[in-house]
Coordinates of all heavy atoms in Angstrom, one line a residue:
M1 N 227.3 81.0 -155.7 CA 226.5 82.1 -156.6 C 225.1 82.2 -156.0 O 224.4 81.1 -156.0 CB 226.7 81.8 -158.0 CG 226.4 83.1 -158.8 SD 226.6 82.8 -160.5 CE 225.0 82.0 -160.9
G2 N 224.6 83.3 -155.9 CA 223.1 83.6 -155.4 C 222.3 83.7 -156.6 O 222.7 83.6 -157.8
I3 N 221.1 84.3 -156.2 CA 220.0 84.5 -157.1 C 220.5 85.6 -158.1 O 221.2 86.5 -157.7 CB 218.7 85.0 -156.5 CG1 217.7 85.3 -157.4 CG2 219.0 86.2 -155.5 CD1 216.2 85.4 -156.8
D4 N 220.2 85.5 -159.4 CA 220.5 86.5 -160.4 C 219.5 87.9 -160.2 O 218.4 87.7 -160.4 CB 220.2 85.9 -161.8 CG 220.3 87.0 -162.9 OD1 220.8 88.0 -162.6 OD2 220.2 86.6 -164.0
P5 N 220.1 88.9 -159.7 CA 219.4 90.1 -159.5 C 218.6 90.7 -160.6 O 217.6 91.4 -160.6 CB 220.2 91.2 -158.9 CG 221.6 90.6 -159.3 CD 221.5 89.2 -159.6
N6 N 218.9 90.2 -161.9 CA 218.3 90.6 -163.1 C 217.4 89.7 -163.7 O 216.9 89.7 -164.7 CB 219.3 90.9 -164.2 CG 220.5 92.0 -163.8 OD1 220.1 93.0 -163.2 ND2 221.7 91.7 -164.0
Y7 N 216.9 88.7 -162.8 CA 216.0 87.6 -163.2 C 214.7 88.2 -163.7 O 213.9 87.6 -164.6 CB 215.7 86.5 -162.2 CG 214.8 87.1 -161.1 CD1 213.5 86.8 -161.3 CD2 215.1 87.8 -160.0 CE1 212.5 87.2 -160.4 CE2 214.1 88.1 -159.0 CZ 212.9 87.8 -159.2 OH 212.0 88.3 -158.3
R8 N 214.3 89.3 -163.4 CA 212.9 89.9 -163.7 C 212.8 90.2 -165.2 O 211.7 90.3 -165.7 CB 212.5 91.1 -162.9 CG 212.3 90.7 -161.4 CD 212.2 92.0 -160.4 NE 212.1 91.6 -159.2 CZ 213.2 91.5 -158.4 NH1 214.3 91.7 -158.9 NH2 213.0 91.1 -157.1
S9 N 214.0 90.3 -165.9 CA 213.9 90.6 -167.3 C 213.7 89.1 -168.0 O 213.5 89.1 -169.3 CB 215.2 91.2 -167.7 OG 216.4 90.6 -167.4
L10 N 213.8 88.0 -167.3 CA 213.5 86.7 -168.1 C 212.0 86.6 -168.3 O 211.1 87.3 -167.6 CB 214.0 85.6 -167.1 CG 215.5 85.5 -166.8 CD1 215.7 84.4 -165.7 CD2 216.4 85.1 -168.0
P11 N 211.7 85.9 -169.3 CA 210.2 85.6 -169.5 C 209.6 84.9 -168.3 O 210.4 84.0 -167.9 CB 210.2 84.8 -170.8 CG 211.6 84.3 -171.1 CD 212.5 85.1 -170.3
A12 N 208.4 85.2 -168.0 CA 207.7 84.4 -167.0 C 207.2 83.1 -167.6 O 206.3 83.2 -168.5 CB 206.6 85.2 -166.4
A13 N 207.6 82.1 -167.0 CA 207.1 80.8 -167.7 C 205.8 80.3 -167.2 O 205.1 79.6 -168.0 CB 208.1 79.8 -167.2
K14 N 205.3 80.8 -166.0 CA 204.1 80.3 -165.6 C 203.7 81.2 -164.3 O 204.4 82.1 -163.9 CB 204.5 78.9 -164.9 CG 203.4 78.1 -164.5 CD 203.9 76.7 -164.3 CE 203.1 75.8 -163.2 NZ 201.8 75.9 -162.9
E15 N 202.5 80.9 -163.9 CA 202.0 81.7 -162.6 C 201.4 80.7 -161.7 O 200.7 79.8 -162.2 CB 201.1 82.7 -163.1 CG 200.9 84.0 -162.1 CD 200.1 85.1 -162.6 OE1 200.6 85.7 -163.7 OE2 199.0 85.4 -162.1
E16 N 201.7 80.8 -160.6 CA 201.2 79.9 -159.6 C 200.4 80.6 -158.4 O 201.2 81.4 -157.6 CB 202.3 79.0 -159.0 CG 201.8 77.9 -158.1 CD 201.1 76.9 -158.6 OE1 201.3 76.5 -159.8 OE2 200.1 76.3 -157.9
Q17 N 199.3 80.5 -158.2 CA 198.5 81.3 -157.2 C 198.9 82.7 -157.2 O 199.1 83.4 -156.3 CB 198.7 80.7 -155.8 CG 198.2 79.3 -155.7 CD 198.6 78.7 -154.2 OE1 198.1 79.1 -153.3 NE2 199.3 77.6 -154.3
G18 N 198.9 83.4 -158.5 CA 199.1 84.8 -158.6 C 200.7 85.1 -158.5 O 201.0 86.4 -158.6
V19 N 201.5 84.3 -158.4 CA 203.0 84.5 -158.3 C 203.7 84.1 -159.5 O 203.5 82.9 -159.9 CB 203.6 83.9 -157.0 CG1 205.0 83.9 -157.0 CG2 202.9 84.3 -155.8
K20 N 204.3 85.1 -160.1 CA 205.0 84.5 -161.6 C 206.2 83.7 -161.1 O 206.9 83.9 -160.3 CB 205.3 85.8 -162.1 CG 204.2 86.6 -162.9 CD 204.7 87.7 -163.7 CE 203.5 88.2 -164.4 NZ 203.6 89.6 -164.9
I21 N 206.5 83.0 -162.2 CA 207.8 81.9 -162.2 C 208.6 82.3 -163.3 O 208.1 82.3 -164.5 CB 207.3 80.6 -162.1 CG1 206.4 80.1 -161.0 CG2 208.5 79.6 -162.1 CD1 205.8 78.8 -161.1
Y22 N 209.8 82.7 -163.1 CA 210.8 83.2 -164.1 C 211.8 82.1 -164.2 O 212.2 81.4 -163.6 CB 211.5 84.5 -163.7 CG 210.5 85.6 -163.6 CD1 209.9 85.8 -162.3 CD2 210.2 86.6 -164.4 CE1 209.0 86.9 -162.0 CE2 209.5 87.6 -164.4 CZ 208.8 87.8 -163.1 OH 208.0 88.8 -162.8
G23 N 212.3 82.1 -165.6 CA 213.5 81.1 -165.9 C 212.8 79.7 -166.4 O 211.7 79.6 -166.7
T24 N 213.7 78.8 -166.3 CA 213.5 77.5 -166.7 C 212.6 76.7 -165.6 O 213.0 76.6 -164.5 CB 214.7 76.7 -166.9 OG1 215.6 77.3 -167.8 CG2 214.6 75.3 -167.5
Y25 N 211.3 76.3 -166.1 CA 210.5 75.6 -165.4 C 210.1 74.3 -165.8 O 209.5 74.0 -166.8 CB 209.1 76.4 -165.2 CG 208.1 75.7 -164.3 CD1 208.3 75.7 -162.8 CD2 207.0 74.9 -164.8 CE1 207.4 75.0 -162.0 CE2 206.2 74.3 -164.0 CZ 206.3 74.3 -162.6 OH 205.4 73.7 -161.8
E26 N 210.9 73.3 -165.4 CA 210.9 71.9 -165.7 C 210.7 70.9 -164.5 O 211.8 70.3 -164.1 CB 212.0 71.3 -166.7 CG 212.1 72.2 -168.0 CD 213.4 72.0 -168.8 OE1 214.4 71.3 -168.2 OE2 213.6 72.6 -169.8
P27 N 209.7 70.9 -163.8 CA 209.5 70.1 -162.6 C 209.8 68.6 -162.9 O 209.4 68.2 -164.0 CB 208.1 70.5 -162.1 CG 207.4 71.0 -163.3 CD 208.4 71.5 -164.3
P28 N 210.4 67.9 -162.0 CA 210.6 68.4 -160.5 C 211.9 68.8 -160.3 O 212.2 69.4 -159.2 CB 210.3 67.1 -159.7 CG 210.9 66.1 -160.7 CD 210.4 66.5 -162.0
T29 N 212.9 68.8 -161.3 CA 214.2 69.3 -161.0 C 214.6 70.7 -161.2 O 215.6 71.1 -160.7 CB 215.2 68.2 -161.8 OG1 214.9 68.5 -163.1 CG2 215.0 66.8 -161.4
K30 N 213.9 71.3 -162.1 CA 214.2 72.8 -162.4 C 212.8 73.6 -162.2 O 211.9 73.4 -162.9 CB 214.6 73.0 -163.9 CG 215.9 72.4 -164.3 CD 217.0 73.4 -164.6 CE 218.2 72.8 -165.0 NZ 219.4 73.4 -164.1
L31 N 213.0 74.5 -161.2 CA 211.8 75.2 -160.7 C 211.8 76.6 -161.0 O 210.8 77.3 -160.9 CB 211.5 74.9 -159.3 CG 211.2 73.4 -159.0 CD1 211.0 73.1 -157.6 CD2 209.9 72.9 -159.6
G32 N 213.0 77.2 -161.3 CA 213.1 78.6 -161.6 C 213.0 79.5 -160.5 O 213.1 79.2 -159.3
I33 N 212.7 80.8 -160.7 CA 212.7 81.9 -159.6 C 211.1 82.2 -159.5 O 210.5 82.8 -160.5 CB 213.5 83.1 -160.0 CG1 215.0 82.6 -160.1 CG2 213.3 84.2 -159.0 CD1 216.0 83.6 -160.4
W34 N 210.7 82.2 -158.2 CA 209.3 82.4 -158.0 C 209.3 83.9 -157.2 O 209.7 84.2 -156.3 CB 208.7 81.4 -157.0 CG 208.5 80.0 -157.7 CD1 209.5 79.4 -158.5 CD2 207.4 79.2 -157.7 NE1 209.1 78.2 -158.9 CE2 207.8 78.0 -158.3 CE3 206.3 79.3 -157.1 CZ2 207.1 76.8 -158.5 CZ3 205.4 78.1 -157.0 CH2 205.8 76.9 -157.9
G35 N 208.3 84.7 -157.8 CA 208.0 86.0 -157.2 C 208.6 87.1 -158.0 O 209.7 87.0 -158.6
T36 N 207.8 88.3 -158.0 CA 208.4 89.6 -158.7 C 208.9 90.5 -157.7 O 209.9 91.1 -157.9 CB 207.2 90.0 -159.5 OG1 206.7 89.0 -160.5 CG2 207.7 91.2 -160.4
I37 N 208.2 90.9 -156.6 CA 208.5 91.7 -155.6 C 209.6 91.1 -154.7 O 210.6 91.6 -154.3 CB 207.2 92.2 -154.7 CG1 206.3 92.9 -155.7 CG2 207.7 93.2 -153.6 CD1 205.0 93.1 -155.0
V38 N 209.2 89.8 -154.3 CA 210.0 89.0 -153.4 C 210.3 87.7 -154.2 O 209.5 87.0 -154.4 CB 209.4 88.6 -152.1 CG1 210.4 87.6 -151.3 CG2 209.0 89.7 -151.3
G39 N 211.6 87.7 -154.7 CA 212.0 86.6 -155.6 C 212.7 85.6 -154.9 O 213.8 85.8 -154.3
V40 N 212.3 84.3 -155.0 CA 213.2 83.2 -154.4 C 213.5 82.2 -155.4 O 212.6 81.7 -156.3 CB 212.2 82.5 -153.4 CG1 213.0 81.2 -152.8 CG2 211.7 83.4 -152.3
D41 N 214.8 81.9 -155.5 CA 215.3 81.0 -156.5 C 215.1 79.6 -156.1 O 215.8 79.1 -155.1 CB 216.8 81.4 -156.9 CG 217.3 80.5 -158.0 OD1 216.8 79.3 -158.2 OD2 218.3 81.0 -158.7
F42 N 214.1 78.9 -156.5 CA 213.8 77.7 -156.0 C 214.8 76.6 -156.3 O 215.0 75.6 -155.6 CB 212.4 77.2 -156.6 CG 211.2 77.6 -155.8 CD1 211.3 78.7 -154.9 CD2 210.0 76.9 -155.8 CE1 210.3 79.1 -154.2 CE2 208.9 77.4 -155.2 CZ 208.9 78.4 -154.4
D43 N 215.6 76.8 -157.2 CA 216.7 75.9 -157.5 C 217.9 76.0 -156.6 O 218.7 75.2 -156.6 CB 217.1 76.1 -159.1 CG 216.0 75.6 -160.0 OD1 215.5 74.6 -159.7 OD2 215.8 76.3 -161.0
L44 N 218.0 77.2 -155.9 CA 218.9 77.3 -154.8 C 218.5 77.0 -153.4 O 219.3 76.6 -152.6 CB 219.5 78.8 -154.9 CG 220.1 79.4 -156.2 CD1 220.5 80.7 -155.9 CD2 221.5 78.4 -156.3
C45 N 217.2 77.3 -153.2 CA 216.6 77.1 -151.9 C 216.8 75.7 -151.3 O 216.5 74.7 -152.0 CB 214.9 77.3 -151.8 SG 214.2 77.2 -150.4
I46 N 217.4 75.7 -150.1 CA 217.7 74.4 -149.4 C 216.7 74.2 -148.2 O 216.9 73.4 -147.4 CB 219.1 74.3 -148.9 CG1 219.5 75.5 -148.0 CG2 220.0 74.4 -150.1 CD1 220.8 75.4 -147.2
A47 N 215.6 75.0 -148.2 CA 214.6 74.8 -147.1 C 215.2 75.0 -145.7 O 214.8 74.4 -144.9 CB 213.9 73.4 -147.3
D48 N 216.1 75.9 -145.6 CA 216.7 76.3 -144.4 C 215.5 76.9 -143.3 O 215.5 76.6 -142.2 CB 217.7 77.4 -144.6 CG 218.3 78.0 -143.2 OD1 219.1 77.3 -142.7 OD2 217.8 79.2 -143.0
G49 N 214.7 77.8 -143.9 CA 213.5 78.2 -143.2 C 213.8 79.5 -142.4 O 212.8 80.1 -141.9
S50 N 215.0 80.0 -142.5 CA 215.3 81.3 -141.8 C 214.5 82.4 -142.3 O 214.0 83.3 -141.5 CB 216.7 81.8 -142.1 OG 217.6 80.6 -141.4
C51 N 214.2 82.4 -143.6 CA 213.4 83.6 -144.2 C 212.1 83.6 -143.6 O 211.3 84.6 -143.2 CB 213.5 83.6 -145.7 SG 212.7 82.0 -146.3
I52 N 211.4 82.3 -143.5 CA 210.0 82.2 -142.9 C 210.0 82.8 -141.5 O 209.1 83.5 -141.1 CB 209.6 80.8 -143.0 CG1 209.5 80.4 -144.6 CG2 208.2 80.5 -142.3 CD1 208.9 79.0 -144.7
N53 N 211.0 82.3 -140.7 CA 211.0 82.9 -139.3 C 211.3 84.3 -139.2 O 210.8 85.0 -138.3 CB 212.1 82.0 -138.6 CG 211.8 80.5 -138.5 OD1 210.6 80.3 -138.4 ND2 212.8 79.7 -138.4
A54 N 212.0 84.9 -140.2 CA 212.5 86.3 -140.1 C 211.4 87.2 -140.6 O 211.4 88.4 -140.0 CB 213.8 86.5 -140.8
C55 N 210.6 86.9 -141.5 CA 209.7 87.8 -142.2 C 208.6 88.2 -141.0 O 207.9 87.4 -140.5 CB 209.0 87.1 -143.3 SG 207.9 88.4 -144.2
P56 N 208.5 89.5 -140.9 CA 207.6 90.1 -139.9 C 206.1 90.1 -140.4 O 205.2 90.3 -139.6 CB 208.1 91.5 -139.7 CG 208.8 91.9 -140.9 CD 209.4 90.7 -141.5
V57 N 206.0 89.9 -141.7 CA 204.5 90.0 -142.3 C 204.1 88.7 -143.0 O 203.2 88.8 -143.8 CB 204.5 91.2 -143.2 CG1 204.6 92.6 -142.4 CG2 205.5 91.2 -144.4
N58 N 204.9 87.7 -142.7 CA 204.4 86.3 -143.2 C 204.2 86.3 -144.8 O 203.2 85.7 -145.3 CB 203.1 85.9 -142.5 CG 203.2 85.7 -141.1 OD1 204.3 85.1 -140.6 ND2 202.3 86.1 -140.3
V59 N 205.3 86.7 -145.4 CA 205.2 86.7 -146.9 C 205.3 85.2 -147.3 O 204.7 84.8 -148.4 CB 206.4 87.5 -147.4 CG1 206.6 87.1 -148.9 CG2 206.0 88.9 -147.4
F60 N 206.1 84.3 -146.6 CA 206.4 83.0 -147.2 C 205.5 82.0 -146.5 O 205.1 82.1 -145.4 CB 207.8 82.6 -146.8 CG 208.9 83.7 -147.3 CD1 209.3 84.7 -146.4 CD2 209.3 83.6 -148.6 CE1 210.3 85.6 -146.9 CE2 210.2 84.7 -149.0 CZ 210.7 85.6 -148.2
Q61 N 205.2 80.9 -147.4 CA 204.7 79.7 -146.7 C 205.5 78.6 -147.3 O 205.9 78.6 -148.5 CB 203.2 79.6 -146.9 CG 202.7 79.3 -148.1 CD 201.2 79.2 -148.1 OE1 200.5 79.8 -147.4 NE2 200.7 78.4 -149.1
W62 N 205.5 77.3 -146.6 CA 206.2 76.2 -147.4 C 205.4 75.8 -148.5 O 204.1 75.7 -148.5 CB 206.4 75.1 -146.3 CG 207.4 75.3 -145.3 CD1 207.2 75.4 -144.0 CD2 208.8 75.5 -145.5 NE1 208.4 75.6 -143.2 CE2 209.4 75.7 -144.3 CE3 209.7 75.5 -146.6 CZ2 210.8 75.9 -144.0 CZ3 210.9 75.9 -146.4 CH2 211.5 75.9 -145.2
L63 N 206.1 75.3 -149.5 CA 205.5 74.6 -150.6 C 206.3 73.3 -150.9 O 207.4 73.3 -150.9 CB 205.7 75.6 -151.9 CG 205.0 74.9 -153.2 CD1 203.4 74.8 -153.1 CD2 205.5 75.5 -154.4
D64 N 205.6 72.1 -150.9 CA 206.2 70.9 -151.1 C 206.8 70.9 -152.5 O 205.9 71.1 -153.5 CB 205.3 69.8 -150.8 CG 205.2 69.6 -149.3 OD1 206.0 70.0 -148.6 OD2 204.0 69.2 -149.0
T65 N 208.1 70.4 -152.9 CA 208.6 70.2 -154.1 C 209.4 68.8 -154.2 O 210.6 68.8 -154.4 CB 209.5 71.4 -154.4 OG1 210.5 71.5 -153.4 CG2 208.8 72.7 -154.6
P66 N 208.6 67.7 -154.0 CA 209.2 66.4 -154.1 C 210.0 66.3 -155.3 O 209.5 66.5 -156.4 CB 207.9 65.5 -154.1 CG 206.8 66.3 -154.4 CD 207.1 67.6 -153.9
G67 N 211.2 65.7 -155.2 CA 212.0 65.4 -156.4 C 213.0 66.5 -156.8 O 213.7 66.3 -157.6
H68 N 212.9 67.6 -156.1 CA 214.0 68.6 -156.3 C 215.3 68.2 -155.6 O 215.3 68.0 -154.4 CB 213.5 70.0 -155.9 CG 214.3 71.1 -156.5 ND1 215.4 71.5 -155.8 CD2 214.3 71.7 -157.7 CE1 216.1 72.5 -156.6 NE2 215.4 72.5 -157.7
P69 N 216.4 68.5 -156.3 CA 217.7 68.0 -155.7 C 218.1 68.8 -154.7 O 218.8 68.3 -153.7 CB 218.7 68.1 -156.9 CG 218.0 68.9 -158.0 CD 216.5 68.8 -157.9
A70 N 217.9 70.2 -154.5 CA 218.3 70.9 -153.4 C 217.5 70.9 -152.2 O 218.1 70.8 -151.1 CB 218.3 72.5 -154.0
S71 N 216.2 70.6 -152.3 CA 215.4 70.4 -151.0 C 213.9 70.0 -151.6 O 213.5 70.5 -152.6 CB 215.2 71.6 -150.3 OG 214.7 72.8 -150.9
E72 N 213.2 69.4 -150.7 CA 211.8 68.9 -151.1 C 210.7 69.8 -150.6 O 209.6 69.5 -150.8 CB 211.7 67.4 -150.7 CG 212.7 66.5 -151.3 CD 212.2 65.1 -151.8 OE1 211.5 64.6 -150.9 OE2 212.6 64.7 -152.8
K73 N 211.0 71.0 -150.2 CA 210.2 72.0 -149.9 C 210.9 73.3 -150.2 O 212.1 73.4 -150.0 CB 209.4 72.0 -148.5 CG 210.4 72.1 -147.4 CD 209.6 71.8 -146.0 CE 210.7 72.0 -144.9 NZ 209.9 72.0 -143.6
K74 N 210.0 74.3 -150.4 CA 210.6 75.8 -150.8 C 209.8 76.8 -150.1 O 208.6 76.6 -149.7 CB 210.4 76.0 -152.2 CG 211.1 74.9 -153.1 CD 212.6 74.8 -153.0 CE 213.1 73.6 -153.9 NZ 214.6 73.5 -153.7
A75 N 210.5 78.0 -149.8 CA 209.8 79.1 -149.2 C 209.1 79.9 -150.4 O 209.7 80.6 -151.1 CB 210.9 80.0 -148.5
F76 N 207.9 79.7 -150.4 CA 206.9 80.3 -151.5 C 206.5 81.6 -151.1 O 205.8 81.8 -150.1 CB 205.9 79.2 -151.7 CG 204.8 79.6 -152.8 CD1 205.2 80.4 -153.8 CD2 203.4 79.3 -152.6 CE1 204.1 80.8 -154.8 CE2 202.5 79.5 -153.6 CZ 202.9 80.3 -154.7
P77 N 206.9 82.6 -151.8 CA 206.5 84.0 -151.5 C 205.1 84.4 -151.9 O 204.7 85.4 -152.7 CB 207.5 84.9 -152.2 CG 207.9 84.2 -153.4 CD 207.7 82.6 -153.1
I78 N 204.1 83.5 -151.4 CA 202.7 83.7 -151.9 C 202.1 85.0 -151.5 O 201.2 85.4 -152.2 CB 201.9 82.5 -151.2 CG1 200.5 82.4 -151.7 CG2 201.9 82.5 -149.7 CD1 199.7 81.3 -151.6
N79 N 202.7 85.6 -150.4 CA 202.1 86.8 -149.9 C 203.0 88.1 -150.2 O 203.1 89.0 -149.4 CB 201.8 86.7 -148.4 CG 200.8 87.4 -147.9 OD1 199.9 88.0 -148.5 ND2 200.8 87.6 -146.5
E80 N 203.6 88.1 -151.4 CA 204.6 89.1 -151.7 C 204.2 90.5 -151.6 O 204.9 91.4 -151.3 CB 205.4 88.7 -153.0 CG 204.5 88.8 -154.2 CD 205.3 88.6 -155.5 OE1 206.6 88.6 -155.5 OE2 204.6 88.6 -156.6
Q81 N 202.8 90.7 -152.0 CA 202.3 92.0 -151.8 C 202.4 92.7 -150.4 O 202.4 93.9 -150.3 CB 200.9 91.9 -152.3 CG 200.6 91.3 -153.7 CD 201.0 92.2 -154.8 OE1 201.3 93.4 -154.6 NE2 201.1 91.5 -155.9
A82 N 202.5 91.8 -149.4 CA 202.6 92.3 -148.0 C 204.0 92.8 -147.6 O 204.1 93.4 -146.6 CB 202.1 91.2 -147.2
C83 N 205.0 92.6 -148.5 CA 206.3 92.9 -148.2 C 206.5 94.4 -147.8 O 206.1 95.2 -148.4 CB 207.2 92.5 -149.3 SG 209.0 92.8 -149.1
I84 N 207.2 94.6 -146.7 CA 207.6 96.0 -146.2 C 209.1 96.3 -146.4 O 209.7 97.3 -145.9 CB 207.3 96.2 -144.8 CG1 208.0 95.0 -143.8 CG2 205.7 96.1 -144.5 CD1 207.9 95.4 -142.4
F85 N 209.7 95.5 -147.2 CA 211.3 95.7 -147.6 C 212.1 95.9 -146.5 O 213.0 96.7 -146.5 CB 211.1 96.9 -148.5 CG 210.1 96.9 -149.6 CD1 208.9 97.7 -149.7 CD2 210.1 95.8 -150.6 CE1 207.9 97.5 -150.6 CE2 209.0 95.7 -151.6 CZ 207.9 96.5 -151.5
C86 N 212.0 95.2 -145.6 CA 212.9 95.2 -144.3 C 214.3 94.4 -144.6 O 215.2 94.6 -144.0 CB 212.3 94.5 -143.1 SG 212.1 92.7 -143.1
M87 N 214.2 93.6 -145.7 CA 215.4 92.9 -146.1 C 215.8 91.8 -145.1 O 217.0 91.2 -145.4 CB 216.6 93.7 -146.4 CG 216.3 94.7 -147.5 SD 215.8 93.9 -149.1 CE 215.0 95.2 -150.1
A88 N 215.0 91.4 -144.1 CA 215.5 90.4 -143.2 C 215.7 89.1 -143.9 O 216.7 88.3 -143.7 CB 214.4 90.3 -142.2
C89 N 214.8 88.8 -144.7 CA 214.9 87.4 -145.5 C 216.2 87.4 -146.3 O 216.9 86.4 -146.3 CB 213.7 87.2 -146.4 SG 213.3 88.5 -147.7
V90 N 216.5 88.4 -147.0 CA 217.7 88.5 -147.9 C 218.9 88.2 -147.0 O 219.8 87.5 -147.3 CB 217.8 89.9 -148.6 CG1 219.0 90.1 -149.3 CG2 216.6 90.1 -149.5
N91 N 219.0 89.0 -145.9 CA 220.1 88.9 -145.0 C 220.3 87.6 -144.3 O 221.5 87.2 -143.9 CB 220.0 90.1 -144.0 CG 220.3 91.3 -144.6 OD1 220.8 91.5 -145.7 ND2 219.5 92.4 -144.1
V92 N 219.2 86.8 -144.0 CA 219.4 85.5 -143.4 C 219.6 84.3 -144.3 O 220.0 83.4 -143.8 CB 218.3 85.2 -142.3 CG1 218.3 86.3 -141.1 CG2 217.0 85.2 -143.0
C93 N 219.2 84.5 -145.5 CA 219.3 83.3 -146.3 C 220.8 82.8 -146.6 O 221.6 83.4 -147.0 CB 218.7 83.5 -147.7 SG 218.7 82.1 -148.9
P94 N 221.0 81.4 -146.2 CA 222.4 80.9 -146.2 C 222.9 80.6 -147.6 O 224.1 80.5 -147.8 CB 222.3 79.7 -145.3 CG 220.8 79.2 -145.4 CD 220.0 80.5 -145.6
V95 N 222.0 80.7 -148.7 CA 222.4 80.4 -150.0 C 222.1 81.7 -150.8 O 222.2 81.4 -152.2 CB 221.8 79.1 -150.6 CG1 222.5 77.9 -149.7 CG2 220.2 79.1 -150.5
A96 N 221.8 82.8 -150.2 CA 221.4 84.0 -151.1 C 220.5 83.7 -152.2 O 220.7 84.2 -153.4 CB 222.7 84.5 -151.7
A97 N 219.4 83.0 -151.9 CA 218.4 82.6 -152.9 C 217.3 83.8 -153.0 O 216.3 83.5 -153.9 CB 217.8 81.4 -152.5
I98 N 217.4 84.9 -152.3 CA 216.3 85.8 -152.3 C 216.7 87.0 -152.8 O 217.8 87.6 -152.3 CB 215.6 86.0 -150.9 CG1 215.2 84.5 -150.3 CG2 214.4 86.8 -150.9 CD1 214.8 84.4 -148.9
D99 N 215.9 87.8 -153.7 CA 216.0 89.2 -154.0 C 214.8 89.9 -153.8 O 213.8 89.4 -154.4 CB 216.6 89.2 -155.5 CG 216.9 90.6 -156.0 OD1 218.1 91.0 -155.6 OD2 216.1 91.3 -156.6
V100 N 214.8 91.0 -153.2 CA 213.6 91.8 -153.0 C 213.8 93.2 -153.6 O 214.8 93.8 -153.5 CB 213.4 92.0 -151.5 CG1 212.3 93.0 -151.2 CG2 213.2 90.7 -150.8
K101 N 212.7 93.6 -154.4 CA 212.7 94.7 -155.2 C 211.3 95.4 -155.1 O 210.4 94.8 -155.5 CB 213.0 94.4 -156.7 CG 213.4 95.8 -157.3 CD 214.0 95.5 -158.7 CE 214.1 96.7 -159.5 NZ 213.8 96.5 -160.9
P102 N 211.3 96.7 -154.6 CA 209.9 97.3 -154.5 C 209.3 97.5 -155.9 O 210.2 97.7 -156.8 CB 210.3 98.6 -153.9 CG 211.4 98.5 -153.2 CD 212.2 97.4 -153.8
P103 N 208.0 97.3 -156.1 CA 207.5 97.4 -157.5 C 207.5 98.9 -158.0 O 207.9 99.8 -157.3 CB 206.0 97.0 -157.2 CG 205.8 97.2 -155.8 CD 207.0 97.0 -155.0
Ligands
SF4_1 S1 212.0 92.0 -147.2 FE1 211.1 91.7 -145.1 S2 208.9 91.9 -145.4 FE2 209.8 91.5 -147.3 S3 209.6 89.3 -147.6 FE3 211.7 89.8 -146.8 S4 211.5 89.5 -144.5 FE4 209.5 89.7 -145.4

């Protein structure tokens, strides 16, 4: 099962460098979904890196998440405002952890 496309209706638990975090945030094991325009479910992300390579406008950067059971780094959509909605990241993610929605 991939990211919940309705996650934006969840309360935002926190904000990190201007990026909202939705859902359950209980680090290091539960990290929730990061981003509003470009949402990455950090609890699904396995640090495959395809999205980082695919994005033409460098929306993502690695964020270390030591102690998380799925992977110890995540694709952080720090630059989500730059998204051009090409959907490349959505299409390459092997665990369907990304949902993109224009504001
Ligand atoms: S939809 Fe395209 S531009 Fe937007 S984050 Fe994904 S790869 Fe980057």
Side-chain angles (χ1 to χ4, degrees):
M1 199 182 77
I3 184 172
D4 174 4
N6 299 315
Y7 80 86
R8 293 173 186 85
S9 59
L10 298 170
K14 188 176 156 25
E15 204 170 298
E16 184 68 37
Q17 297 178 63
V19 174
K20 284 186 179 161
I21 303 172
Y22 298 86
T24 306
Y25 181 74
E26 290 168 2
T29 57
K30 291 246 182 239
L31 296 175
I33 297 175
W34 292 46
T36 305
I37 300 168
V38 179
V40 180
D41 191 327
F42 273 21
D43 293 316
L44 296 178
C45 178
I46 56 169
D48 172 80
S50 297
C51 59
I52 292 182
N53 294 330
C55 182
V57 291
N58 297 318
V59 161
F60 305 99
Q61 71 179 35
W62 288 120
L63 180 75
D64 288 330
T65 55
H68 190 272
S71 60
E72 299 214 322
K73 61 180 181 175
K74 306 293 178 184
F76 178 28
I78 186 165
N79 207 10
E80 64 176 350
Q81 304 288 345
C83 180
I84 57 169
F85 313 110
C86 71
M87 301 298 166
C89 58
V90 172
N91 292 328
V92 295
C93 180
V95 291
I98 307 175
D99 187 77
V100 172
K101 192 173 174 220

